[in-house]
Amino acid sequence: MSHAGRPAASTCRDALGAILRVQEFVAAGVPVQRVLQEICAEAVDMLGADAAAIVTTADGVGNRAFAWRTDEGRELINAASPASLWAIGQSASRGELDVAAPVSIKKEAGQASELIAIGTPLHAEGEALGGMFLLSASMPPDRSDVDVLKALAGHAGIALVDVKSARRVHEAMHDAITGLPGESLFHDRVEHALAAAERRGVSTGLLSIDLDVFSAVNDRVGHEAADGVLRDVAKALTAVGRAADSAARLGGDRFGVLLEDADRNGALAGADRVAEAIAEIVELPQADGGLGASIGVSVARPGECSREGLLQRAELAMREVKKTGRGGLRLYHPDMGGPRIDPAALTLALKESLEHGDMRVHYQPLVSLLSEEIVGVEALARWQHPEHGMLPPDEFISGAETNGLILPLGREILEAAAADVARWRSEIESAARMTLSVNISAPQLKGGRLTGEVARALAATGLPAEALTLEVSESLFIGDDPSVGDRLAELRDLGAKLAIDDYGTGCSSLGYIQEYPFDILKIDRRFVRGLSENRDGAPLVQSMLTLAEQLGMRVIAEGIENAIELAQLKAMRCEIGQGFYFARPVPADRLAELLVDPSQLLSAA
């Protein structure tokens, strides 16, 4: 069945491309029947069979799909009796066609055709879904054909599970009462909006909204009526927003609105519209005259603060409104708290701190989920500020990227972390094979000097290149800068590993994995959190794990915070994890203690 003379490497590349195309169909919400037909079409095109078919037995996911490459194949499928195809599908589902075998296809007119078939079971997550098989009038398949067919069938199983759970996944990311995006999806949109705003040189606004007297409404009119009020608020937020605005329900009676390309005046105008719309929703005697809202407003100039910083500022402003009574709005001011360094003073302070050696490296362990032993660390920057104490990266990294200081800062963190890990590998027996992960920002990757800096750091410290993993966030790829691929290829040529961070938070993740040479996939913490916060989080994480396995990538699950998440990841055979359940980021001396005595690991959380 194989295409004559096709090299094995070419077949593998074709198989990889086919798998990625299937995943893109699923991600785009293409109907399941079309997804199955596309899988069959990929199979006959790559393997040269006359026809391919999928017969499913699982409830609710479709039943049959076909494709053909030749006129004979089309005639065969169109004339075959459903019973014959069903019988072959059942044989494939039982694993009886792993080796090519003769089969007989009965036609509706009573005639029969003798063919050669190979097939493989179709299943995922332990559930039997049916069978996939190829039919040809001649040329039995070789071993590579069977392997490719199994890979495609495995991904067909993933597609079926994904389609079955697509509604559940949507519900997990959206509020069940209002239909608005939930907290995790809203946070994702804020992060991407800030990245886009920095590129375009515009400001971003955010509203934190807390409904006043809603608890009284809930108590006095009942949950059903109160849910109706929440839906009315959601409609009002959507109706008064611009096309670029995005509203979300953040839990309880709290809402958020993202205002893209909005300066101070634009954000305040948006808050006014929201306040008026909410006040006009309903008159409730039980609510002492009506419904109102306390609204906090925050605005970030390009590169001024992170997602967490913008959200925190809006929350602080909203709390200031609450302090003065209910109703009204307030624009965030630094006196309210939040990020402690004036952006205008950050450049000078950070430059002086780099010169004085005030930067520190903390390490968060990467843990084998099977043995619960430390197998690596992620290096995280900390700023020992002379006035404000130890500052986390959220308070200075974005500013450092804007003013160009991320380049010397990144170089210092890389050199210090490589030296620490090289020392631990040589001095501590349990750390002999541990790895180091370092985050790389867009300015570093696009600046053209990173490859040389990495090579010099490895040479100076003696850390093997294969022990270094460079983590790149999905948000870096927005904009399609061609230099990104060149830099990643150079780093890979050094022997370093490449990881795509925060996987699943970008709408084009599959394209990135296909185009760039990543070795490791890091599942974002919001998906890991879904394993314990809702019962439908597992299918999405399992899909990511299966995709990584098909592509030969290792997986690290971020943000593990409890035993439930750990148990589910173990059951899904996730290899490595990190999170507060094991340990928070710690200084180098504390990390060395954990390596010497791993029994202290959980106590470091």
Side-chain angles (χ1 to χ4, degrees), residues 572-590:
M572 289 186 277
R573 298 184 181 180
C574 181
E575 184 178 0
I576 300 172
Q578 65 184 110
F580 291 172
Y581 179 77
F582 299 111
R584 294 175 181 271
V586 296
D589 56 353
R590 177 61 174 142

Side-chain angles (χ1 to χ4, degrees), residues 498-571:
L498 300 176
I500 184 164
D501 199 9
D502 303 326
Y503 178 75
T505 64
C507 60
S508 301
S509 309
L510 295 166
Y512 301 149
I513 293 178
Q514 183 179 24
E515 185 173 356
Y516 299 106
F518 291 108
D519 305 283
I520 297 168
L521 182 153
K522 297 193 75 174
I523 299 177
D524 185 73
R525 68 192 64 190
R526 72 198 64 186
F527 300 110
V528 172
R529 187 169 63 237
L531 296 175
S532 59
E533 291 187 354
N534 70 81
R535 60 184 175 83
D536 297 320
L540 192 55
V541 174
Q542 181 65 68
S543 175
M544 295 177 185
L545 288 164
T546 307
L547 172 62
E549 181 181 2
Q550 293 283 351
L551 300 178
M553 300 173 67
R554 301 178 71 186
V555 173
I556 299 175
E558 297 183 292
I560 302 173
E561 295 188 356
N562 56 58
I564 296 174
E565 293 164 359
L566 175 61
Q568 291 211 51
L569 289 165
K570 281 185 174 181

Side-chain angles (χ1 to χ4, degrees), residues 203-282:
S203 297
T204 303
L206 192 138
L207 309 182
S208 177
I209 304 164
D210 188 273
L211 300 182
D212 297 322
V213 303
F214 184 75
S215 59
V217 174
N218 202 357
D219 292 340
R220 296 174 186 175
V221 304
H223 293 299
E224 186 174 345
D227 288 350
V229 173
L230 292 175
R231 284 188 284 270
D232 287 340
V233 171
K235 292 176 183 176
L237 295 180
T238 303
V240 300
R242 305 167 304 161
D245 298 342
S246 178
R249 184 183 178 211
L250 306 181
D253 58 358
R254 293 179 55 248
F255 292 80
V257 177
L258 171 65
L259 307 167
E260 297 195 46
D261 193 3
D263 59 13
R264 178 181 182 276
N265 292 334
L268 289 172
D272 282 333
R273 291 194 302 271
V274 166
E276 293 174 4
I278 291 176
E280 294 173 357
I281 286 174
V282 64

Side-chain angles (χ1 to χ4, degrees), residues 434-511:
M434 74 178 301
T435 62
L436 167 65
S437 295
V438 178
N439 292 282
I440 300 300
S441 70
Q444 288 176 278
L445 195 60
K446 297 175 182 179
R449 299 180 181 178
L450 181 61
T451 305
E453 292 175 352
V454 170
R456 285 190 290 273
L458 295 174
T461 62
L463 182 70
E466 62 270 18
L468 176 64
T469 298
L470 302 173
E471 297 188 6
V472 179
S473 174
E474 276 192 343
S475 61
L476 185 149
F477 294 95
I478 302 173
D480 299 323
D481 188 330
S483 68
V484 169
D486 295 337
R487 296 293 87 75
L488 291 177
E490 292 171 1
L491 293 167
R492 186 79 180 279
D493 289 343
L494 286 179
K497 300 293 190 296
L498 300 176
I500 184 164
D501 199 9
D502 303 326
Y503 178 75
T505 64
C507 60
S508 301
S509 309
L510 295 166

Side-chain angles (χ1 to χ4, degrees), residues 76 127 143 189 213 243 362 367 506 542 583 587:
L76 174 68
E127 180 183 4
R143 184 67 244 176
R189 290 182 178 179
V213 303
H362 283 199
V367 179
Q542 181 65 68

Side-chain angles (χ1 to χ4, degrees), residues 18-85:
I19 288 170
L20 290 169
R21 285 190 291 273
V22 168
Q23 280 291 314
E24 288 169 355
F25 269 107
V26 175
V30 173
V32 60
Q33 198 68 22
R34 186 180 171 195
V35 173
L36 299 183
Q37 289 169 350
E38 289 294 332
I39 292 172
C40 289
E42 296 283 2
V44 295
D45 180 61
M46 278 192 299
L47 303 179
D50 289 318
I54 291 175
V55 175
T56 67
T57 56
D59 293 336
V61 294
N63 47 22
R64 296 182 298 170
F66 310 105
W68 48 81
R69 186 180 61 90
T70 63
D71 292 340
E72 291 84 353
R74 181 179 66 249
E75 180 182 350
L76 174 68
I77 293 297
N78 289 336
S81 69
S84 292
L85 297 174

